[in-house]
Amino acid sequence: MAEQAYTVVSDSETTGEEKTSSTFPEIAIGIDIGTSQCSVAVWNGSQVELLRNTRNRKLMRSYVTFKDEVPAGGVSDELAHEYDMLSGAAIFNMKRLIGRVDTDPVVHASKSLPFLVQTLDIGVRPFIAALVNNMWRSTTPEEVLAIFLVELRAMAEVKLKRPVRNVVLTIPVSFSRFQLTRIERACAMAGLHVLRLMPEPTAVALLYAQQQQQSSHENMGSGSEKIALIFNMGAGYCDVAITATAGGVSQIKALAGSTVGGEDLLQNLMHHLLPNMDDLFSSHGIEEIKRMGLLRVATQDAIHKLSSDISVPINLDLGNGTKLSKVLDRAEFEEVNKGVFEKCEALIKRCLQDAKLEAEDVHDVIIVGGCSYIPMVRNIVTSICKRDELYSGMNPMEAAVRGAALEGAVASGISDPFGNLDLLTIQATPLSIGIQADGSNFVPIINQNTTTPVRKEQIFTTVHDNQTEALILVYEGDEKTVEENHLLGYFKITGIPPAPKGVPEINVCMDIDASNVLRVFAGVMLRGMPYMEVRMPTVDDGHGWSAQALHKTYGSNLDVVTVQKKTQH
Amino acid sequence: MWMRKLRILTPFSQKLLFTKRETITISSSYCKPEFDFHTVEQFFPQYIRRVNFRGNNLGFCGRSLFSCEAAQRNSCWNCCNAKAFLVCTDCGCVQPVDHSVDYFKIFGLEKKYGIEGENLERTYKDWQRKLHPDLVHTKSQKEREYAAEQSARVIDAYRTLTDPLSRAIYILKLEDVHVDEEEKIDDVELLTEMLEIRETVDEAADSQALKQIQEQCGVWTSGQIPIQGKFEQSSISFADALQSRKYIEALAAIRRMTYYKRANEEIVKKL
């Protein structure tokens, strides 16, 4: 049998298993790309080790500066001063921008960043540019991320004295599958192969599982099941997960996430300090950007200080006659950000409810991420979980990357003689996946928090007499109507035999495998009719447009409705 | 027959020859018409395992020759020893899905409804530790596929058995009783009850009141008990009906459980 000469990797096929298997598998490194900070860790044969850059830092700022067309990222480059990052030449917060269209409120909120974010509000990718020699140089979040990843990779290769190709990356729970493909694209641009994309709190769960297993070994205990609630809030996102761990195996019971984080706290406070901020900075001139930067740094410092102090003085001269001078106290900061804190509260409550657990059932409450130092955030978590003590066995800034490094070692097939890698995380889907049916309703086929790998099917039927074609629109999300969810892709089923409406049976099956690849199978249940197998997502940029165009062209001509399910329990 | 198979396999065997000389020597020295697999195994147990492994890597393999599909159905496809279950007890090799193994067997349980006290979670995690696709990536393509299917089946088994309603439906299916979950109900008593529950839920002022309908006793007058209690009652009557093989009654109990479960979900949604 002839060896296959070559394999063509499909465009979207950047995940999946390694094709070449050598006797000594390369240990995948773990990378935590935060909205504001980033870190790399690897299993060094006996434990997880965080890699330090040439300046001996474990945490590096996530940004890329464009200078004279040669970009440099925050891995090697050290800024002379915080203000340099705000000169217009540095692009940051790419994790908030990646894979979002210009109608997204998160993109609109990013317009107050000290670089250029332009929108047309029609559902296409936003225009992003950095200021280089008084010129706006356009870029994309993928490019910025790739430049940054190249630096991280180079740093890791120097430290490990070997080529680095395989990585495990942590991602926010609320990322859509489309956003995941953008992350994969950025990695591919940087020459990295994504072994796993792990929701951040599940990486923390893995670290927790390892710690529990170690302590049960020490106590010679039986290692009974322990339930932990993990709350992770960084600069860009807030995630909650509930995990049940026994003997190194963690089952993710529920996941909840939202695009809310330190950046929102910062922007709310900036607007509070300077209510007409948006008007002042709208023109994006060099002076405006500088002022924007000044305000940003001052506000950021104030928030940091308020974690330990009750009040903080703010004195700021923006240079155009606008002067700020006031004493900000913690209560005021908390009042301004009431909405953000309420969202955090709602996320924890929802996660407990989805896991069908009461606060009393939780053994350990773990809080990680940059915002875990904010007193109000800690208060919320402790009061909902009804306890005085939080789990203290982890460094809040390093937990996610350590978990990712563990997963990297486990997924590379490394074993440890002391059993420190006898770990397994059984993941669950963070968002529901379904199709448009019954008008513009979203009908989930795989529900949120379903254990993966999973395969589910449901039967649909036609809405018109003699309807011979049906459009299958695949969406992801947890809202009732499709407009509020993410379109993942679409395809048409043809050749439905003419029959009165409601008679033909269209089977739609969804399958998520262990590498989190989603495939949709659909077809008419008739002998001899071929089924479609479609790998999702199929839409590229501007999927907001696609949905509108589809609706305009086809209306409800090719709709489907649900048939009461028979095949499911 | 043995000879012919060997001849068909020649190109393949030549490939093996390049990697391991002994392969061919042993095969040809063992040319007898009636091939007894177990004899070979007694003589060259390690050899057989190795050949199989190599065969898998090359795609078209000596499966028809060396695997025990021809020999015994219940033994491991890889080492041919032992009575293999989901995973071979001898060589730790993942087995193909065998649908005659029901969910109860997977969890080492007797086929009965009342399994509330059992620690399913532990068995579930023990299986996943052996089967989960994340942990078998160093194995052959074939075994990885088996593992993916088996792991998914164990997840399904766990989900089915932990939920009293789906467990009830499943156990009836094993008894060849068809459960139509979407049938129209003509049980007037149940219908009125459902309407009553719906009204109380709609009228409930706050989450406190909803919780009362859901689980707390006290304010309820004669014969009225909260939904969760009702669900448990139906669950008990299902167990009784099943034991005495009264399937019509068992189906009626399932119907009630379905409706109480839905009512409970409505309440949770409103909470």
Side-chain angles (χ1 to χ4, degrees), chain A residues 32-38 62 93 95-96 170-174 200-201 204 230-240 257-266 303-304 333 340-341 344 347 367-374 377 396-397 400:
Chain A
D32 174 24
I33 304 184
T35 309
S36 93
Q37 295 195 100
C38 162
S62 315
N93 273 14
K95 201 163 134 195
R96 287 266 276 204
T170 59
I171 40 124
V173 169
S174 59
E200 274 152 37
V204 180
I230 296 150
F231 180 88
N232 168 39
M233 189 171 178
Y237 296 87
C238 177
D239 298 326
V240 190
S258 167
T259 313
V260 52
E263 180 64 31
D264 298 282
L265 301 174
L266 181 65
I303 295 178
H304 288 165
F333 165 71
V340 173
F341 295 130
C344 300
L347 276 183
I367 167 165
V368 294
C371 288
S372 63
Y373 295 105
I374 296 173
V377 171
M397 302 307 285

Short mmCIF file of all heavy atoms in Angstrom, two decimals, chain A residues 32-38 62 93 95-96 170-174 200-201 204 230-240 257-266 303-304 333 340-341 344 347 367-374 377 396-397 400:
data_model
loop_
_atom_site.label_atom_id
_atom_site.label_comp_id
_atom_site.label_asym_id
_atom_site.label_seq_id
_atom_site.Cartn_x
_atom_site.Cartn_y
_atom_site.Cartn_z
N ASP A 32 -0.91 31.61 28.19
CA ASP A 32 -2.09 32.35 28.62
C ASP A 32 -1.98 33.75 28.05
O ASP A 32 -1.17 34.54 28.51
CB ASP A 32 -2.15 32.38 30.16
CG ASP A 32 -3.28 33.26 30.68
OD1 ASP A 32 -4.26 33.45 29.94
OD2 ASP A 32 -3.17 33.75 31.82
N ILE A 33 -2.76 34.02 27.00
CA ILE A 33 -2.73 35.37 26.43
C ILE A 33 -3.82 36.17 27.08
O ILE A 33 -5.00 35.98 26.78
CB ILE A 33 -2.96 35.35 24.91
CG1 ILE A 33 -1.93 34.45 24.26
CG2 ILE A 33 -2.87 36.75 24.35
CD1 ILE A 33 -2.04 34.46 22.79
N GLY A 34 -3.45 37.02 27.97
CA GLY A 34 -4.45 37.83 28.62
C GLY A 34 -4.70 39.10 27.81
O GLY A 34 -3.93 39.44 26.93
N THR A 35 -5.79 39.77 28.13
CA THR A 35 -6.08 41.04 27.47
C THR A 35 -4.97 42.03 27.78
O THR A 35 -4.55 42.79 26.92
CB THR A 35 -7.43 41.58 27.97
OG1 THR A 35 -8.40 40.54 27.83
CG2 THR A 35 -7.87 42.78 27.18
N SER A 36 -4.47 41.99 29.01
CA SER A 36 -3.40 42.94 29.32
C SER A 36 -2.05 42.27 29.58
O SER A 36 -1.03 42.81 29.24
CB SER A 36 -3.81 43.82 30.51
OG SER A 36 -3.36 43.27 31.72
N GLN A 37 -2.05 41.06 30.17
CA GLN A 37 -0.77 40.39 30.43
C GLN A 37 -0.77 38.98 29.89
O GLN A 37 -1.82 38.40 29.65
CB GLN A 37 -0.50 40.38 31.93
CG GLN A 37 -0.32 41.77 32.46
CD GLN A 37 0.30 41.74 33.85
OE1 GLN A 37 1.48 41.95 34.00
NE2 GLN A 37 -0.52 41.47 34.83
N CYS A 38 0.42 38.45 29.75
CA CYS A 38 0.55 37.18 29.09
C CYS A 38 1.70 36.40 29.72
O CYS A 38 2.65 36.99 30.23
CB CYS A 38 0.82 37.50 27.65
SG CYS A 38 1.48 36.22 26.73
N SER A 62 0.72 42.37 27.12
CA SER A 62 0.27 41.96 25.78
C SER A 62 0.05 43.18 24.91
O SER A 62 -1.03 43.78 24.94
CB SER A 62 -1.06 41.19 25.87
OG SER A 62 -1.05 40.26 26.89
N ASN A 93 -5.09 45.12 23.90
CA ASN A 93 -6.48 44.67 24.04
C ASN A 93 -6.94 43.85 22.83
O ASN A 93 -8.11 43.83 22.51
CB ASN A 93 -7.43 45.85 24.23
CG ASN A 93 -7.55 46.25 25.69
OD1 ASN A 93 -6.75 45.83 26.50
ND2 ASN A 93 -8.55 47.03 26.01
N LYS A 95 -7.25 40.79 22.48
CA LYS A 95 -8.14 39.69 22.84
C LYS A 95 -9.59 40.15 22.93
O LYS A 95 -10.51 39.36 22.76
CB LYS A 95 -7.69 39.12 24.18
CG LYS A 95 -8.19 37.71 24.41
CD LYS A 95 -7.40 37.06 25.51
CE LYS A 95 -8.28 36.36 26.49
NZ LYS A 95 -7.56 36.03 27.71
N ARG A 96 -9.77 41.44 23.20
CA ARG A 96 -11.15 41.96 23.22
C ARG A 96 -11.65 42.19 21.81
O ARG A 96 -12.86 42.19 21.55
CB ARG A 96 -11.18 43.30 23.96
CG ARG A 96 -11.01 43.18 25.44
CD ARG A 96 -12.34 43.12 26.15
NE ARG A 96 -12.90 44.43 26.40
CZ ARG A 96 -13.78 44.68 27.37
NH1 ARG A 96 -14.19 43.72 28.16
NH2 ARG A 96 -14.24 45.89 27.54
N THR A 170 -5.06 29.23 26.48
CA THR A 170 -6.30 29.42 27.23
C THR A 170 -7.12 30.50 26.55
O THR A 170 -6.58 31.46 26.00
CB THR A 170 -6.03 29.82 28.69
OG1 THR A 170 -5.29 31.03 28.69
CG2 THR A 170 -5.24 28.75 29.41
N ILE A 171 -8.43 30.31 26.60
CA ILE A 171 -9.34 31.25 25.94
C ILE A 171 -10.51 31.55 26.89
O ILE A 171 -10.81 30.75 27.76
CB ILE A 171 -9.88 30.68 24.61
CG1 ILE A 171 -10.19 29.18 24.77
CG2 ILE A 171 -8.90 30.86 23.49
CD1 ILE A 171 -11.55 28.80 24.43
N PRO A 172 -11.17 32.69 26.69
CA PRO A 172 -12.33 32.97 27.54
C PRO A 172 -13.50 32.03 27.23
O PRO A 172 -13.63 31.56 26.09
CB PRO A 172 -12.71 34.41 27.15
CG PRO A 172 -11.55 34.96 26.43
CD PRO A 172 -10.87 33.81 25.79
N VAL A 173 -14.31 31.77 28.23
CA VAL A 173 -15.48 30.89 28.06
C VAL A 173 -16.42 31.44 26.99
O VAL A 173 -16.99 30.70 26.20
CB VAL A 173 -16.23 30.74 29.41
CG1 VAL A 173 -17.58 30.07 29.23
CG2 VAL A 173 -15.37 29.96 30.40
N SER A 174 -16.56 32.76 26.95
CA SER A 174 -17.58 33.34 26.07
C SER A 174 -17.13 33.45 24.61
O SER A 174 -17.89 33.91 23.78
CB SER A 174 -17.98 34.72 26.59
OG SER A 174 -16.84 35.55 26.64
N GLU A 200 -10.30 29.28 30.08
CA GLU A 200 -9.40 29.61 31.19
C GLU A 200 -9.75 28.92 32.52
O GLU A 200 -8.87 28.33 33.14
CB GLU A 200 -9.34 31.12 31.38
CG GLU A 200 -8.29 31.75 30.48
CD GLU A 200 -8.60 33.19 30.11
OE1 GLU A 200 -9.12 33.92 30.97
OE2 GLU A 200 -8.32 33.58 28.97
N PRO A 201 -11.01 29.00 32.97
CA PRO A 201 -11.27 28.38 34.28
C PRO A 201 -11.10 26.86 34.26
O PRO A 201 -10.82 26.28 35.32
CB PRO A 201 -12.71 28.77 34.59
CG PRO A 201 -13.31 29.14 33.30
CD PRO A 201 -12.21 29.66 32.44
N VAL A 204 -7.59 26.24 35.17
CA VAL A 204 -7.44 26.37 36.62
C VAL A 204 -7.96 25.10 37.30
O VAL A 204 -7.36 24.61 38.26
CB VAL A 204 -8.19 27.62 37.13
CG1 VAL A 204 -8.03 27.77 38.63
CG2 VAL A 204 -7.69 28.87 36.42
N ILE A 230 -14.74 28.09 40.30
CA ILE A 230 -13.61 28.90 39.88
C ILE A 230 -14.13 30.20 39.26
O ILE A 230 -14.93 30.17 38.33
CB ILE A 230 -12.74 28.14 38.88
CG1 ILE A 230 -12.14 26.91 39.57
CG2 ILE A 230 -11.62 29.02 38.34
CD1 ILE A 230 -11.90 25.77 38.64
N PHE A 231 -13.69 31.30 39.81
CA PHE A 231 -14.07 32.61 39.30
C PHE A 231 -12.81 33.27 38.76
O PHE A 231 -11.82 33.42 39.47
CB PHE A 231 -14.68 33.45 40.43
CG PHE A 231 -15.11 34.82 40.00
CD1 PHE A 231 -16.38 35.03 39.49
CD2 PHE A 231 -14.25 35.90 40.10
CE1 PHE A 231 -16.78 36.29 39.09
CE2 PHE A 231 -14.64 37.17 39.69
CZ PHE A 231 -15.91 37.36 39.19
N ASN A 232 -12.85 33.62 37.49
CA ASN A 232 -11.67 34.17 36.85
C ASN A 232 -12.05 35.50 36.19
O ASN A 232 -12.90 35.53 35.31
CB ASN A 232 -11.17 33.16 35.80
CG ASN A 232 -10.13 33.75 34.88
OD1 ASN A 232 -9.27 34.51 35.29
ND2 ASN A 232 -10.22 33.40 33.61
N MET A 233 -11.45 36.57 36.63
CA MET A 233 -11.77 37.86 36.02
C MET A 233 -10.47 38.59 35.71
O MET A 233 -9.68 38.91 36.60
CB MET A 233 -12.64 38.70 36.95
CG MET A 233 -13.17 39.95 36.30
SD MET A 233 -14.38 40.72 37.39
CE MET A 233 -14.81 42.18 36.49
N GLY A 234 -10.27 38.82 34.44
CA GLY A 234 -9.08 39.53 34.01
C GLY A 234 -9.45 40.89 33.47
O GLY A 234 -10.48 41.44 33.82
N ALA A 235 -8.61 41.41 32.58
CA ALA A 235 -8.87 42.74 32.04
C ALA A 235 -10.01 42.72 31.03
O ALA A 235 -10.73 43.69 30.87
CB ALA A 235 -7.60 43.29 31.40
N GLY A 236 -10.16 41.60 30.33
CA GLY A 236 -11.14 41.58 29.25
C GLY A 236 -12.38 40.77 29.49
O GLY A 236 -13.45 41.06 28.96
N TYR A 237 -12.25 39.70 30.26
CA TYR A 237 -13.35 38.75 30.37
C TYR A 237 -13.54 38.26 31.79
O TYR A 237 -12.61 38.27 32.59
CB TYR A 237 -13.09 37.53 29.47
CG TYR A 237 -13.03 37.87 28.01
CD1 TYR A 237 -11.83 38.29 27.42
CD2 TYR A 237 -14.17 37.79 27.22
CE1 TYR A 237 -11.77 38.61 26.08
CE2 TYR A 237 -14.12 38.10 25.87
CZ TYR A 237 -12.92 38.52 25.30
OH TYR A 237 -12.86 38.84 23.97
N CYS A 238 -14.76 37.80 32.05
CA CYS A 238 -15.05 37.20 33.34
C CYS A 238 -15.64 35.82 33.09
O CYS A 238 -16.57 35.67 32.28
CB CYS A 238 -16.04 38.08 34.09
SG CYS A 238 -16.53 37.40 35.66
N ASP A 239 -15.08 34.80 33.72
CA ASP A 239 -15.51 33.42 33.52
C ASP A 239 -15.78 32.75 34.86
O ASP A 239 -15.09 33.02 35.83
CB ASP A 239 -14.40 32.59 32.85
CG ASP A 239 -14.03 33.10 31.48
OD1 ASP A 239 -14.91 33.60 30.78
OD2 ASP A 239 -12.84 33.00 31.13
N VAL A 240 -16.75 31.85 34.85
CA VAL A 240 -16.99 31.03 36.03
C VAL A 240 -17.10 29.57 35.58
O VAL A 240 -17.65 29.28 34.52
CB VAL A 240 -18.31 31.42 36.74
CG1 VAL A 240 -18.42 30.73 38.09
CG2 VAL A 240 -18.42 32.92 36.92
N GLY A 257 -19.67 32.62 31.03
CA GLY A 257 -18.68 33.66 30.77
C GLY A 257 -19.30 34.87 30.12
O GLY A 257 -20.38 34.79 29.53
N SER A 258 -18.61 35.99 30.24
CA SER A 258 -19.12 37.22 29.66
C SER A 258 -17.95 38.16 29.36
O SER A 258 -16.90 38.08 29.99
CB SER A 258 -20.09 37.87 30.65
OG SER A 258 -20.36 39.18 30.27
N THR A 259 -18.17 39.04 28.37
CA THR A 259 -17.13 40.01 28.04
C THR A 259 -17.23 41.17 29.02
O THR A 259 -17.75 42.23 28.69
CB THR A 259 -17.30 40.52 26.60
OG1 THR A 259 -17.51 39.41 25.77
CG2 THR A 259 -16.07 41.27 26.14
N VAL A 260 -16.77 40.97 30.22
CA VAL A 260 -16.77 42.04 31.20
C VAL A 260 -15.51 41.85 32.04
O VAL A 260 -15.18 40.74 32.44
CB VAL A 260 -18.08 42.03 32.02
CG1 VAL A 260 -18.37 40.67 32.62
CG2 VAL A 260 -18.05 43.06 33.13
N GLY A 261 -14.79 42.94 32.25
CA GLY A 261 -13.53 42.80 32.99
C GLY A 261 -12.96 44.13 33.40
O GLY A 261 -13.65 45.16 33.40
N GLY A 262 -11.69 44.12 33.73
CA GLY A 262 -11.01 45.31 34.22
C GLY A 262 -11.10 46.48 33.25
O GLY A 262 -11.17 47.63 33.66
N GLU A 263 -11.11 46.16 31.96
CA GLU A 263 -11.22 47.21 30.94
C GLU A 263 -12.52 48.00 31.11
O GLU A 263 -12.54 49.21 30.95
CB GLU A 263 -11.14 46.57 29.55
CG GLU A 263 -11.23 47.51 28.37
CD GLU A 263 -10.07 48.52 28.28
OE1 GLU A 263 -8.96 48.17 28.71
OE2 GLU A 263 -10.31 49.63 27.78
N ASP A 264 -13.60 47.29 31.45
CA ASP A 264 -14.88 47.97 31.65
C ASP A 264 -14.84 48.85 32.89
O ASP A 264 -15.37 49.96 32.89
CB ASP A 264 -16.00 46.94 31.79
CG ASP A 264 -16.15 46.11 30.54
OD1 ASP A 264 -16.73 46.61 29.57
OD2 ASP A 264 -15.64 44.97 30.52
N LEU A 265 -14.20 48.32 33.94
CA LEU A 265 -14.06 49.12 35.17
C LEU A 265 -13.32 50.41 34.85
O LEU A 265 -13.70 51.51 35.26
CB LEU A 265 -13.29 48.34 36.24
CG LEU A 265 -13.88 47.00 36.69
CD1 LEU A 265 -12.91 46.30 37.63
CD2 LEU A 265 -15.21 47.21 37.38
N LEU A 266 -12.25 50.25 34.07
CA LEU A 266 -11.39 51.38 33.70
C LEU A 266 -12.18 52.40 32.88
O LEU A 266 -12.15 53.61 33.15
CB LEU A 266 -10.19 50.85 32.91
CG LEU A 266 -9.15 51.84 32.45
CD1 LEU A 266 -8.45 52.47 33.63
CD2 LEU A 266 -8.13 51.17 31.56
N ILE A 303 -7.24 52.80 40.21
CA ILE A 303 -7.93 51.53 40.49
C ILE A 303 -7.01 50.58 41.25
O ILE A 303 -7.43 49.96 42.22
CB ILE A 303 -8.42 50.87 39.17
CG1 ILE A 303 -9.50 51.75 38.53
CG2 ILE A 303 -8.98 49.48 39.45
CD1 ILE A 303 -10.02 51.24 37.21
N HIS A 304 -5.76 50.52 40.82
CA HIS A 304 -4.80 49.64 41.52
C HIS A 304 -4.67 50.05 42.98
O HIS A 304 -4.68 49.21 43.87
CB HIS A 304 -3.43 49.69 40.83
CG HIS A 304 -3.43 48.99 39.51
ND1 HIS A 304 -2.43 49.13 38.59
CD2 HIS A 304 -4.32 48.13 38.96
CE1 HIS A 304 -2.70 48.40 37.51
NE2 HIS A 304 -3.83 47.79 37.73
N PHE A 333 -16.01 54.42 43.43
CA PHE A 333 -15.57 53.50 42.38
C PHE A 333 -16.55 52.34 42.24
O PHE A 333 -16.93 51.93 41.12
CB PHE A 333 -14.16 52.99 42.73
CG PHE A 333 -13.71 51.78 41.96
CD1 PHE A 333 -13.40 51.87 40.61
CD2 PHE A 333 -13.59 50.55 42.59
CE1 PHE A 333 -12.99 50.75 39.90
CE2 PHE A 333 -13.18 49.43 41.89
CZ PHE A 333 -12.88 49.53 40.54
N VAL A 340 -21.14 46.42 36.34
CA VAL A 340 -20.15 45.38 36.09
C VAL A 340 -20.21 44.32 37.20
O VAL A 340 -20.23 43.12 36.93
CB VAL A 340 -18.73 45.98 36.03
CG1 VAL A 340 -17.66 44.90 35.94
CG2 VAL A 340 -18.61 46.94 34.85
N PHE A 341 -20.29 44.80 38.44
CA PHE A 341 -20.31 43.86 39.56
C PHE A 341 -21.59 43.02 39.56
O PHE A 341 -21.57 41.85 39.91
CB PHE A 341 -20.12 44.61 40.89
CG PHE A 341 -18.78 45.27 41.00
CD1 PHE A 341 -18.66 46.60 41.37
CD2 PHE A 341 -17.62 44.56 40.73
CE1 PHE A 341 -17.41 47.21 41.47
CE2 PHE A 341 -16.37 45.16 40.82
CZ PHE A 341 -16.27 46.49 41.19
N CYS A 344 -21.13 40.16 37.24
CA CYS A 344 -20.32 39.09 37.84
C CYS A 344 -21.17 38.22 38.75
O CYS A 344 -21.10 37.00 38.73
CB CYS A 344 -19.17 39.68 38.67
SG CYS A 344 -18.06 40.69 37.72
N LEU A 347 -23.40 35.93 36.81
CA LEU A 347 -22.67 34.80 36.20
C LEU A 347 -22.47 33.67 37.20
O LEU A 347 -22.67 32.49 36.87
CB LEU A 347 -21.30 35.27 35.72
CG LEU A 347 -21.18 35.91 34.35
CD1 LEU A 347 -19.73 36.22 34.06
CD2 LEU A 347 -21.74 35.02 33.26
N ILE A 367 -10.47 32.01 43.30
CA ILE A 367 -10.62 33.26 42.56
C ILE A 367 -9.26 33.63 41.97
O ILE A 367 -8.26 33.66 42.68
CB ILE A 367 -11.28 34.35 43.43
CG1 ILE A 367 -11.15 35.73 42.80
CG2 ILE A 367 -10.79 34.36 44.85
CD1 ILE A 367 -12.08 36.74 43.43
N VAL A 368 -9.25 33.81 40.65
CA VAL A 368 -8.00 34.11 39.95
C VAL A 368 -8.20 35.26 38.96
O VAL A 368 -9.32 35.72 38.74
CB VAL A 368 -7.47 32.87 39.17
CG1 VAL A 368 -7.06 31.77 40.12
CG2 VAL A 368 -8.48 32.37 38.18
N GLY A 369 -7.10 35.72 38.37
CA GLY A 369 -7.16 36.80 37.39
C GLY A 369 -6.83 38.14 38.03
O GLY A 369 -6.85 38.27 39.27
N GLY A 370 -6.52 39.12 37.20
CA GLY A 370 -6.08 40.42 37.67
C GLY A 370 -7.08 41.12 38.56
O GLY A 370 -6.72 41.83 39.51
N CYS A 371 -8.38 40.92 38.29
CA CYS A 371 -9.41 41.62 39.08
C CYS A 371 -9.66 40.95 40.42
O CYS A 371 -10.47 41.44 41.21
CB CYS A 371 -10.71 41.69 38.29
SG CYS A 371 -10.62 42.83 36.92
N SER A 372 -8.99 39.84 40.69
CA SER A 372 -9.23 39.14 41.95
C SER A 372 -8.69 39.93 43.14
O SER A 372 -8.97 39.60 44.28
CB SER A 372 -8.60 37.75 41.92
OG SER A 372 -7.20 37.85 41.79
N TYR A 373 -7.90 40.98 42.87
CA TYR A 373 -7.39 41.79 43.96
C TYR A 373 -8.37 42.88 44.39
O TYR A 373 -8.17 43.53 45.40
CB TYR A 373 -6.04 42.43 43.56
CG TYR A 373 -4.96 41.41 43.33
CD1 TYR A 373 -4.55 41.07 42.05
CD2 TYR A 373 -4.36 40.77 44.41
CE1 TYR A 373 -3.56 40.12 41.83
CE2 TYR A 373 -3.37 39.82 44.21
CZ TYR A 373 -2.97 39.50 42.93
OH TYR A 373 -2.01 38.55 42.74
N ILE A 374 -9.40 43.09 43.56
CA ILE A 374 -10.36 44.16 43.87
C ILE A 374 -11.27 43.70 45.02
O ILE A 374 -11.90 42.65 44.92
CB ILE A 374 -11.18 44.53 42.62
CG1 ILE A 374 -10.23 45.10 41.55
CG2 ILE A 374 -12.30 45.51 42.95
CD1 ILE A 374 -10.88 45.35 40.22
N VAL A 377 -14.87 42.60 44.22
CA VAL A 377 -14.97 41.33 43.51
C VAL A 377 -14.90 40.17 44.51
O VAL A 377 -15.69 39.23 44.47
CB VAL A 377 -13.87 41.21 42.43
CG1 VAL A 377 -13.83 39.82 41.83
CG2 VAL A 377 -14.09 42.26 41.34
N PRO A 396 -2.99 33.78 41.84
CA PRO A 396 -4.09 34.18 40.94
C PRO A 396 -3.63 34.56 39.54
O PRO A 396 -4.37 34.43 38.58
CB PRO A 396 -4.71 35.38 41.63
CG PRO A 396 -4.18 35.41 43.00
CD PRO A 396 -2.91 34.63 43.03
N MET A 397 -2.39 35.04 39.41
CA MET A 397 -1.92 35.48 38.10
C MET A 397 -1.29 34.34 37.30
O MET A 397 -1.04 34.48 36.12
CB MET A 397 -0.89 36.61 38.25
CG MET A 397 -1.39 37.83 39.01
SD MET A 397 -2.93 38.47 38.35
CE MET A 397 -2.31 39.28 36.86
N ALA A 400 -3.93 29.96 35.52
CA ALA A 400 -4.40 29.53 34.20
C ALA A 400 -3.25 28.99 33.35
O ALA A 400 -3.38 27.94 32.71
CB ALA A 400 -5.10 30.69 33.49
#
